[in-house]
Amino acid sequence: KAGVTQTPRYLIKTRGQQVTLSCSPISGHRSVSWYQQTPGQGLQFLFEYFSETQRNKGNFPGRFSGRQFSNSRSEMNVSTLELGDSALYLCASSLQGPSYEQYFGPGTRLTVT
Amino acid sequence: TQLLEQSPQFLSIQEGENLTVYCNSSSVFSSLQWYRQEPGEGPVLLVTVVTGGEVKKLKRLTFQFGDARKDSSLHITAAQPGDTGLYLCAGDLVESNYQLIWGAGTKLIIKP
């Protein structure tokens, strides 16, 4: 079974730009969660989608948004990038939700200059 | 304030030694997961503990869930360089809503 894939793996953007990250979950998994990981803050929950519906959202500004498609693939978008948005963005898929076994992708390393 | 406190934050030991990593909270969790993350990769689930007092073994790794389901520990026997990584615990609060609470992690380095 193919694992969780994330594209792109690396990205360099400048302040003020916007970015879209993509996540393809394991086949059959309907839940996708997004996380931001930084050395100072650790793993921070962004949002979780299940069957195209956002079920929960973390404490991030409205510049961070996401969506899920009917095939369970998910995207997250960050608008008006700030230097502090530099981080590893991880997505995780599971059958029913984060409480169940989660499988993480390798992440997208975003650098904002 | 971290809801889940992991300790120590950093540990560097020699191959063959034993170690214990702790994950503590004042909150009750319905379950707790342990992950290991290697550089440049996403976390990989090691184990999920569900019942208070539960002990699970994964080769040289022993995981325990506290009786009150507020804390957990990971014990590694005869550590090997391949155990090097960031160990993360994540808890599912009893009243959670599709969200795990994450610890900040323990960075473990095993020197050959």
Side-chain angles (χ1 to χ4, degrees):
Chain A
K1 186 156 43 167
V4 178
T5 57
Q6 289 188 247
T7 55
R9 289 293 308 273
Y10 303 92
L11 205 49
I12 300 175
K13 291 283 188 179
T14 55
R15 277 180 297 175
Q17 288 186 312
Q18 76 164 18
V19 66
T20 299
L21 311 182
S22 182
C23 172
S24 292
I26 289 172
S27 178
H29 285 192
R30 296 161 68 187
S31 168
V32 173
S33 297
W34 286 90
Y35 298 90
Q36 181 195 68
Q37 187 175 34
T38 59
Q41 297 295 320
L43 216 64
Q44 302 286 315
F45 173 75
L46 281 157
F47 25 66
E48 190 258 358
Y49 286 88
F50 184 87
S51 294
E52 302 178 69
T53 300
Q54 187 184 90
R55 296 195 295 190
N56 199 1
K57 189 177 190 305
N59 295 323
F60 278 82
R63 301 184 296 108
F64 291 82
S65 63
R67 59 178 176 170
Q68 187 181 34
F69 302 95
S70 58
N71 61 357
S72 292
R73 190 177 69 85
S74 179
E75 289 181 346
M76 68 161 281
N77 184 275
V78 188
S79 63
T80 319
L81 284 166
E82 300 177 358
L83 294 179
D85 297 333
S86 294
L88 180 67
Y89 289 88
L90 293 159
C91 83
S93 78
S94 65
L95 278 171
Q96 297 183 43
S99 303
Y100 301 86
E101 190 166 325
Q102 286 193 105
Y103 295 84
F104 280 82
T108 294
R109 172 73 62 185
L110 172 65
T111 301
V112 182
T113 61
Chain B
T1 305
Q2 282 279 77
L3 215 53
L4 258 180
E5 298 283 347
Q6 281 192 250
S7 60
Q9 291 183 342
F10 180 79
L11 188 59
S12 178
I13 62 172
Q14 293 292 138
E15 180 177 2
E17 293 183 22
N18 301 331
L19 67 109
T20 302
V21 172
Y22 299 94
C23 181
N24 295 304
S25 177
S26 57
S27 301
V28 177
F29 295 98
S30 58
S31 67
L32 198 136
Q33 303 173 12
W34 283 94
Y35 292 80
R36 179 170 67 214
Q37 184 178 21
E38 298 184 21
E41 300 294 330
V44 174
L45 179 67
L46 297 173
V47 78
T48 301
V49 285
V50 179
T51 307
E54 182 178 6
V55 176
K56 281 192 172 178
K57 292 194 175 184
L58 189 67
K59 296 183 182 177
R60 293 174 293 98
L61 278 60
T62 301
F63 303 84
Q64 185 160 10
F65 202 12
D67 291 339
R69 292 184 289 134
K70 293 182 178 181
D71 53 83
S72 182
S73 63
L74 157 59
H75 182 79
I76 301 179
T77 304
Q80 298 178 1
D83 296 326
T84 292
L86 178 68
Y87 287 80
L88 295 158
C89 64
D92 183 18
L93 282 173
V94 174
E95 68 272 14
S96 75
N97 185 19
Y98 312 115
Q99 176 182 353
L100 292 178
I101 306 301
W102 290 82
T106 292
K107 188 168 183 179
L108 177 63
I109 295 177
I110 309 299
K111 295 176 284 188

Short mmCIF file of all heavy atoms in Angstrom, two decimals, chain B residues 10-60:
data_model
loop_
_atom_site.label_atom_id
_atom_site.label_comp_id
_atom_site.label_asym_id
_atom_site.label_seq_id
_atom_site.Cartn_x
_atom_site.Cartn_y
_atom_site.Cartn_z
N PHE B 10 16.18 16.46 25.93
CA PHE B 10 17.32 15.99 25.15
C PHE B 10 18.08 14.95 25.95
O PHE B 10 18.25 15.13 27.17
CB PHE B 10 18.22 17.17 24.79
CG PHE B 10 19.43 16.79 23.98
CD1 PHE B 10 19.33 16.55 22.63
CD2 PHE B 10 20.68 16.66 24.59
CE1 PHE B 10 20.44 16.19 21.88
CE2 PHE B 10 21.80 16.30 23.85
CZ PHE B 10 21.68 16.06 22.50
N LEU B 11 18.52 13.88 25.28
CA LEU B 11 19.25 12.82 25.96
C LEU B 11 20.29 12.23 25.00
O LEU B 11 19.94 11.84 23.89
CB LEU B 11 18.28 11.73 26.43
CG LEU B 11 18.80 10.61 27.31
CD1 LEU B 11 19.41 11.18 28.59
CD2 LEU B 11 17.67 9.65 27.65
N SER B 12 21.53 12.21 25.46
CA SER B 12 22.60 11.66 24.65
C SER B 12 23.32 10.61 25.50
O SER B 12 23.87 10.94 26.55
CB SER B 12 23.58 12.76 24.23
OG SER B 12 24.64 12.21 23.48
N ILE B 13 23.28 9.34 25.07
CA ILE B 13 23.87 8.26 25.85
C ILE B 13 24.67 7.34 24.95
O ILE B 13 24.59 7.40 23.72
CB ILE B 13 22.79 7.45 26.60
CG1 ILE B 13 21.85 6.78 25.62
CG2 ILE B 13 22.05 8.33 27.59
CD1 ILE B 13 20.87 5.82 26.27
N GLN B 14 25.43 6.44 25.58
CA GLN B 14 26.23 5.48 24.85
C GLN B 14 25.40 4.25 24.49
O GLN B 14 24.45 3.88 25.19
CB GLN B 14 27.44 5.04 25.68
CG GLN B 14 28.48 6.12 25.93
CD GLN B 14 29.20 6.53 24.66
OE1 GLN B 14 29.45 7.71 24.43
NE2 GLN B 14 29.55 5.54 23.83
N GLU B 15 25.78 3.64 23.41
CA GLU B 15 25.15 2.39 22.98
C GLU B 15 25.22 1.37 24.12
O GLU B 15 26.23 1.27 24.83
CB GLU B 15 25.89 1.85 21.75
CG GLU B 15 25.35 0.55 21.20
CD GLU B 15 26.10 0.11 19.94
OE1 GLU B 15 27.06 0.81 19.53
OE2 GLU B 15 25.73 -0.92 19.37
N GLY B 16 24.11 0.65 24.32
CA GLY B 16 24.09 -0.38 25.35
C GLY B 16 23.45 0.06 26.67
O GLY B 16 23.08 -0.78 27.50
N GLU B 17 23.34 1.38 26.86
CA GLU B 17 22.73 1.87 28.10
C GLU B 17 21.20 1.79 28.02
O GLU B 17 20.62 1.65 26.94
CB GLU B 17 23.16 3.32 28.36
CG GLU B 17 24.64 3.48 28.67
CD GLU B 17 25.01 4.92 29.00
OE1 GLU B 17 24.12 5.70 29.39
OE2 GLU B 17 26.20 5.27 28.88
N ASN B 18 20.57 1.87 29.18
CA ASN B 18 19.11 1.90 29.27
C ASN B 18 18.65 3.34 29.50
O ASN B 18 19.41 4.15 30.03
CB ASN B 18 18.62 1.03 30.43
CG ASN B 18 19.05 -0.41 30.30
OD1 ASN B 18 19.23 -0.91 29.19
ND2 ASN B 18 19.22 -1.07 31.44
N LEU B 19 17.43 3.64 29.10
CA LEU B 19 16.90 4.99 29.30
C LEU B 19 15.39 4.95 29.42
O LEU B 19 14.73 4.01 28.95
CB LEU B 19 17.30 5.90 28.13
CG LEU B 19 16.66 5.55 26.80
CD1 LEU B 19 15.63 6.59 26.40
CD2 LEU B 19 17.70 5.38 25.71
N THR B 20 14.86 6.00 30.06
CA THR B 20 13.40 6.15 30.16
C THR B 20 13.02 7.57 29.80
O THR B 20 13.66 8.53 30.25
CB THR B 20 12.90 5.83 31.58
OG1 THR B 20 13.30 4.50 31.92
CG2 THR B 20 11.39 5.93 31.65
N VAL B 21 11.98 7.69 28.99
CA VAL B 21 11.44 8.99 28.58
C VAL B 21 10.03 9.08 29.14
O VAL B 21 9.28 8.09 29.15
CB VAL B 21 11.41 9.08 27.03
CG1 VAL B 21 10.67 10.31 26.57
CG2 VAL B 21 12.83 9.06 26.47
N TYR B 22 9.68 10.29 29.61
CA TYR B 22 8.40 10.46 30.28
C TYR B 22 7.49 11.44 29.55
O TYR B 22 7.95 12.39 28.91
CB TYR B 22 8.62 10.96 31.71
CG TYR B 22 9.44 10.02 32.54
CD1 TYR B 22 10.82 10.17 32.64
CD2 TYR B 22 8.83 8.97 33.23
CE1 TYR B 22 11.57 9.29 33.40
CE2 TYR B 22 9.58 8.09 34.00
CZ TYR B 22 10.96 8.25 34.08
OH TYR B 22 11.70 7.38 34.82
N CYS B 23 6.20 11.19 29.70
CA CYS B 23 5.17 12.03 29.10
C CYS B 23 4.11 12.24 30.18
O CYS B 23 3.46 11.27 30.60
CB CYS B 23 4.60 11.30 27.88
SG CYS B 23 3.34 12.17 26.98
N ASN B 24 3.98 13.47 30.69
CA ASN B 24 3.12 13.72 31.84
C ASN B 24 2.10 14.82 31.59
O ASN B 24 2.35 15.77 30.84
CB ASN B 24 3.98 14.14 33.05
CG ASN B 24 4.89 13.04 33.52
OD1 ASN B 24 4.46 11.94 33.82
ND2 ASN B 24 6.18 13.33 33.56
N SER B 25 0.96 14.68 32.25
CA SER B 25 -0.10 15.67 32.12
C SER B 25 -0.97 15.65 33.37
O SER B 25 -0.97 14.70 34.13
CB SER B 25 -0.95 15.36 30.88
OG SER B 25 -2.03 16.27 30.77
N SER B 26 -1.72 16.72 33.56
CA SER B 26 -2.71 16.75 34.63
C SER B 26 -4.09 16.36 34.08
O SER B 26 -5.05 16.25 34.83
CB SER B 26 -2.78 18.14 35.26
OG SER B 26 -3.06 19.11 34.27
N SER B 27 -4.15 16.14 32.78
CA SER B 27 -5.40 15.77 32.11
C SER B 27 -5.48 14.27 31.90
O SER B 27 -4.46 13.58 31.82
CB SER B 27 -5.51 16.47 30.75
OG SER B 27 -5.46 17.87 30.88
N VAL B 28 -6.69 13.78 31.80
CA VAL B 28 -6.92 12.35 31.55
C VAL B 28 -7.08 12.12 30.05
O VAL B 28 -7.80 12.88 29.38
CB VAL B 28 -8.19 11.86 32.29
CG1 VAL B 28 -8.48 10.39 31.96
CG2 VAL B 28 -8.04 12.06 33.79
N PHE B 29 -6.43 11.11 29.54
CA PHE B 29 -6.49 10.79 28.12
C PHE B 29 -7.21 9.45 27.90
O PHE B 29 -7.05 8.52 28.67
CB PHE B 29 -5.08 10.72 27.52
CG PHE B 29 -4.36 12.04 27.53
CD1 PHE B 29 -3.45 12.34 28.52
CD2 PHE B 29 -4.62 12.98 26.56
CE1 PHE B 29 -2.80 13.57 28.55
CE2 PHE B 29 -3.97 14.21 26.56
CZ PHE B 29 -3.07 14.50 27.56
N SER B 30 -7.99 9.39 26.85
CA SER B 30 -8.63 8.13 26.51
C SER B 30 -7.63 7.19 25.84
O SER B 30 -7.80 5.97 25.90
CB SER B 30 -9.83 8.37 25.59
OG SER B 30 -9.43 9.04 24.42
N SER B 31 -6.62 7.74 25.24
CA SER B 31 -5.54 6.92 24.68
C SER B 31 -4.31 7.81 24.50
O SER B 31 -4.42 9.05 24.50
CB SER B 31 -5.93 6.30 23.33
OG SER B 31 -6.08 7.31 22.35
N LEU B 32 -3.16 7.18 24.33
CA LEU B 32 -1.94 7.93 24.13
C LEU B 32 -1.08 7.20 23.11
O LEU B 32 -0.97 5.97 23.16
CB LEU B 32 -1.18 8.08 25.46
CG LEU B 32 -0.13 9.17 25.49
CD1 LEU B 32 -0.21 9.98 26.77
CD2 LEU B 32 1.26 8.58 25.30
N GLN B 33 -0.54 7.96 22.19
CA GLN B 33 0.28 7.38 21.12
C GLN B 33 1.73 7.83 21.28
O GLN B 33 1.99 8.95 21.71
CB GLN B 33 -0.25 7.85 19.76
CG GLN B 33 -1.71 7.52 19.49
CD GLN B 33 -2.24 8.13 18.21
OE1 GLN B 33 -1.49 8.64 17.39
NE2 GLN B 33 -3.56 8.08 18.03
N TRP B 34 2.65 6.96 20.92
CA TRP B 34 4.08 7.29 20.87
C TRP B 34 4.56 7.18 19.43
O TRP B 34 4.25 6.20 18.72
CB TRP B 34 4.90 6.33 21.74
CG TRP B 34 4.82 6.61 23.21
CD1 TRP B 34 3.98 6.06 24.12
CD2 TRP B 34 5.67 7.51 23.95
NE1 TRP B 34 4.22 6.56 25.37
CE2 TRP B 34 5.26 7.45 25.29
CE3 TRP B 34 6.73 8.35 23.61
CZ2 TRP B 34 5.86 8.20 26.31
CZ3 TRP B 34 7.35 9.08 24.61
CH2 TRP B 34 6.91 9.01 25.94
N TYR B 35 5.31 8.20 19.01
CA TYR B 35 5.87 8.24 17.67
C TYR B 35 7.38 8.44 17.74
O TYR B 35 7.91 9.00 18.70
CB TYR B 35 5.29 9.42 16.87
CG TYR B 35 3.83 9.33 16.52
CD1 TYR B 35 2.86 9.64 17.45
CD2 TYR B 35 3.44 8.95 15.24
CE1 TYR B 35 1.51 9.57 17.12
CE2 TYR B 35 2.09 8.88 14.90
CZ TYR B 35 1.14 9.19 15.84
OH TYR B 35 -0.19 9.12 15.50
N ARG B 36 8.07 8.00 16.68
CA ARG B 36 9.48 8.33 16.51
C ARG B 36 9.65 9.03 15.16
O ARG B 36 9.09 8.58 14.14
CB ARG B 36 10.38 7.10 16.54
CG ARG B 36 11.87 7.45 16.33
CD ARG B 36 12.77 6.26 16.59
NE ARG B 36 12.58 5.21 15.62
CZ ARG B 36 12.69 3.92 15.91
NH1 ARG B 36 12.97 3.53 17.13
NH2 ARG B 36 12.51 3.03 14.96
N GLN B 37 10.39 10.12 15.18
CA GLN B 37 10.62 10.89 13.96
C GLN B 37 12.11 11.00 13.70
O GLN B 37 12.88 11.37 14.59
CB GLN B 37 10.01 12.29 14.09
CG GLN B 37 10.12 13.13 12.82
CD GLN B 37 9.47 14.49 12.98
OE1 GLN B 37 9.28 14.98 14.10
NE2 GLN B 37 9.12 15.13 11.87
N GLU B 38 12.51 10.67 12.49
CA GLU B 38 13.91 10.80 12.10
C GLU B 38 14.04 12.04 11.22
O GLU B 38 13.07 12.49 10.61
CB GLU B 38 14.35 9.53 11.38
CG GLU B 38 14.27 8.31 12.29
CD GLU B 38 14.79 7.05 11.63
OE1 GLU B 38 15.56 7.17 10.65
OE2 GLU B 38 14.43 5.97 12.10
N PRO B 39 15.24 12.61 11.17
CA PRO B 39 15.44 13.85 10.41
C PRO B 39 14.96 13.75 8.97
O PRO B 39 15.23 12.76 8.28
CB PRO B 39 16.97 14.04 10.48
CG PRO B 39 17.38 13.34 11.71
CD PRO B 39 16.48 12.16 11.83
N GLY B 40 14.20 14.76 8.53
CA GLY B 40 13.72 14.79 7.15
C GLY B 40 12.53 13.90 6.87
O GLY B 40 12.10 13.78 5.72
N GLU B 41 11.98 13.29 7.91
CA GLU B 41 10.84 12.40 7.73
C GLU B 41 9.70 12.79 8.65
O GLU B 41 9.88 13.54 9.62
CB GLU B 41 11.24 10.95 8.02
CG GLU B 41 12.35 10.41 7.14
CD GLU B 41 11.94 10.31 5.68
OE1 GLU B 41 10.75 10.09 5.41
OE2 GLU B 41 12.82 10.48 4.81
N GLY B 42 8.50 12.25 8.36
CA GLY B 42 7.39 12.46 9.27
C GLY B 42 7.44 11.46 10.41
O GLY B 42 8.13 10.44 10.33
N PRO B 43 6.72 11.73 11.50
CA PRO B 43 6.68 10.79 12.63
C PRO B 43 6.09 9.44 12.21
O PRO B 43 5.21 9.39 11.34
CB PRO B 43 5.78 11.50 13.64
CG PRO B 43 5.81 12.94 13.26
CD PRO B 43 5.94 12.96 11.77
N VAL B 44 6.57 8.39 12.86
CA VAL B 44 6.06 7.04 12.61
C VAL B 44 5.49 6.51 13.91
O VAL B 44 6.18 6.54 14.95
CB VAL B 44 7.17 6.10 12.09
CG1 VAL B 44 6.65 4.68 11.97
CG2 VAL B 44 7.69 6.59 10.74
N LEU B 45 4.25 6.03 13.87
CA LEU B 45 3.61 5.52 15.08
C LEU B 45 4.31 4.26 15.58
O LEU B 45 4.56 3.32 14.82
CB LEU B 45 2.14 5.20 14.79
CG LEU B 45 1.33 4.64 15.95
CD1 LEU B 45 1.16 5.70 17.04
CD2 LEU B 45 -0.03 4.15 15.48
N LEU B 46 4.64 4.25 16.88
CA LEU B 46 5.26 3.08 17.51
C LEU B 46 4.21 2.24 18.22
O LEU B 46 4.17 1.02 18.07
CB LEU B 46 6.33 3.52 18.52
CG LEU B 46 7.52 4.27 17.94
CD1 LEU B 46 8.40 4.80 19.09
CD2 LEU B 46 8.33 3.38 17.02
N VAL B 47 3.36 2.90 19.00
CA VAL B 47 2.39 2.16 19.79
C VAL B 47 1.27 3.09 20.23
O VAL B 47 1.44 4.31 20.30
CB VAL B 47 3.09 1.54 21.04
CG1 VAL B 47 3.30 2.60 22.11
CG2 VAL B 47 2.32 0.37 21.59
N THR B 48 0.12 2.51 20.51
CA THR B 48 -1.01 3.21 21.13
C THR B 48 -1.37 2.46 22.41
O THR B 48 -1.54 1.24 22.39
CB THR B 48 -2.24 3.24 20.21
OG1 THR B 48 -1.89 3.89 18.98
CG2 THR B 48 -3.38 4.02 20.86
N VAL B 49 -1.45 3.19 23.53
CA VAL B 49 -1.90 2.59 24.78
C VAL B 49 -3.25 3.16 25.13
O VAL B 49 -3.50 4.36 24.94
CB VAL B 49 -0.88 2.81 25.93
CG1 VAL B 49 0.31 1.90 25.75
CG2 VAL B 49 -0.42 4.25 26.02
N VAL B 50 -4.11 2.30 25.63
CA VAL B 50 -5.51 2.68 25.82
C VAL B 50 -6.00 2.48 27.26
O VAL B 50 -6.73 3.30 27.80
CB VAL B 50 -6.42 1.87 24.86
CG1 VAL B 50 -7.87 2.23 25.05
CG2 VAL B 50 -6.00 2.11 23.42
N THR B 51 -5.56 1.40 27.89
CA THR B 51 -6.05 1.04 29.22
C THR B 51 -5.09 1.49 30.30
O THR B 51 -3.87 1.32 30.17
CB THR B 51 -6.22 -0.49 29.31
OG1 THR B 51 -7.03 -0.94 28.21
CG2 THR B 51 -6.89 -0.88 30.61
N GLY B 52 -5.62 2.07 31.38
CA GLY B 52 -4.78 2.48 32.50
C GLY B 52 -3.96 1.31 33.02
O GLY B 52 -4.51 0.23 33.23
N GLY B 53 -2.65 1.51 33.22
CA GLY B 53 -1.77 0.45 33.69
C GLY B 53 -1.25 -0.46 32.60
O GLY B 53 -0.43 -1.35 32.85
N GLU B 54 -1.68 -0.23 31.38
CA GLU B 54 -1.28 -1.08 30.26
C GLU B 54 0.22 -1.00 29.99
O GLU B 54 0.81 0.08 30.07
CB GLU B 54 -2.06 -0.67 29.02
CG GLU B 54 -1.79 -1.49 27.76
CD GLU B 54 -2.65 -1.05 26.59
OE1 GLU B 54 -3.38 -0.04 26.70
OE2 GLU B 54 -2.60 -1.73 25.54
N VAL B 55 0.81 -2.16 29.69
CA VAL B 55 2.22 -2.22 29.30
C VAL B 55 2.29 -2.90 27.94
O VAL B 55 1.71 -3.97 27.73
CB VAL B 55 3.05 -3.01 30.32
CG1 VAL B 55 4.50 -3.15 29.83
CG2 VAL B 55 3.02 -2.34 31.68
N LYS B 56 3.00 -2.25 27.01
CA LYS B 56 3.18 -2.85 25.69
C LYS B 56 4.67 -2.89 25.38
O LYS B 56 5.41 -1.95 25.71
CB LYS B 56 2.46 -2.04 24.61
CG LYS B 56 0.96 -2.31 24.54
CD LYS B 56 0.35 -1.72 23.28
CE LYS B 56 -1.09 -2.14 23.12
NZ LYS B 56 -1.72 -1.57 21.93
N LYS B 57 5.08 -3.99 24.73
CA LYS B 57 6.50 -4.14 24.39
C LYS B 57 6.67 -4.23 22.88
O LYS B 57 5.89 -4.90 22.19
CB LYS B 57 7.09 -5.37 25.06
CG LYS B 57 7.17 -5.25 26.56
CD LYS B 57 8.05 -6.33 27.19
CE LYS B 57 8.19 -6.06 28.68
NZ LYS B 57 9.11 -7.00 29.34
N LEU B 58 7.72 -3.54 22.41
CA LEU B 58 8.05 -3.56 21.00
C LEU B 58 9.56 -3.81 20.94
O LEU B 58 10.36 -2.89 21.03
CB LEU B 58 7.69 -2.21 20.35
CG LEU B 58 7.77 -2.09 18.85
CD1 LEU B 58 6.72 -2.95 18.19
CD2 LEU B 58 7.54 -0.61 18.44
N LYS B 59 9.94 -5.07 20.88
CA LYS B 59 11.36 -5.48 20.94
C LYS B 59 11.99 -4.92 22.21
O LYS B 59 11.63 -5.31 23.32
CB LYS B 59 12.09 -5.01 19.69
CG LYS B 59 11.59 -5.67 18.42
CD LYS B 59 12.38 -5.24 17.19
CE LYS B 59 11.79 -5.88 15.95
NZ LYS B 59 12.47 -5.45 14.72
N ARG B 60 12.93 -4.00 22.11
CA ARG B 60 13.62 -3.48 23.29
C ARG B 60 12.92 -2.25 23.89
O ARG B 60 13.39 -1.67 24.86
CB ARG B 60 15.05 -3.09 22.91
CG ARG B 60 15.94 -4.27 22.52
CD ARG B 60 17.30 -3.80 22.01
NE ARG B 60 17.16 -3.08 20.73
CZ ARG B 60 17.13 -1.78 20.64
NH1 ARG B 60 17.26 -1.00 21.72
NH2 ARG B 60 16.99 -1.19 19.46
#
